[in-house]
Amino acid sequence: RILQEDGTIIRSLFGKAEKKTDRIPIARGMNHYVWDLQYTAPESFDGMILWGGWTDGAVAVPGKYKARLIVAKDSMTVRFEVLKDPRSSSALADIESFDYGDACTPK
């Protein structure tokens, strides 16, 4: 699971998930996963019309987050930070004010 610093779940990923975007490949030995910084995507449906839109989840803004690995009854949580892209000319306050994750995350 990927969580906001306050513990709110951003995205849950599983070894056996229906949707490919929610699946983590698992193999024997050490495994490695790179989060694409996206929140859970809103659900789509047949016949949905998106004029220039998409169904990807919102992208995480710079800030502090947590990753939690859960295996059976055991879990381990680590903290990490998403940094601002140094190529961006936007002020950090402007990027943070555009945090639309809650609005786009399915309830």
Side-chain angles (χ1 to χ4, degrees):
R1 290 190 175 141
I2 306 295
L3 306 108
Q4 293 178 345
E5 190 173 32
D6 67 2
T8 303
I9 297 172
I10 293 174
R11 193 157 169 201
S12 293
L13 303 150
F14 305 93
K16 295 178 181 177
E18 265 187 48
K19 292 169 57 178
K20 186 177 179 180
T21 55
D22 294 337
R23 195 177 311 140
I24 294 179
I26 298 174
R28 228 177 218 185
M30 188 177 290
N31 288 266
H32 176 83
Y33 178 76
V34 178
W35 177 40
D36 61 6
L37 300 177
Q38 289 189 324
Y39 280 62
T40 300
E43 292 193 28
S44 61
F45 53 88
D46 289 338
M48 185 173 181
I49 298 172
L50 296 171
W51 301 102
W54 68 96
T55 58
D56 293 342
V59 177
V61 297
K64 296 182 181 183
Y65 297 87
K66 297 177 189 176
R68 179 173 296 143
L69 175 65
I70 302 169
V71 178
K73 295 180 182 178
D74 298 320
S75 69
M76 177 181 183
T77 302
V78 294
R79 296 176 187 273
F80 64 96
E81 187 171 359
V82 172
L83 303 174
K84 178 181 172 281
D85 185 339
R87 300 168 296 178
S88 173
S89 60
S90 299
L92 187 56
D94 292 337
I95 296 170
E96 289 172 341
S97 70
F98 196 67
D99 181 8
Y100 53 93
D102 288 339
C104 295
T105 303
K107 303 290 182 204

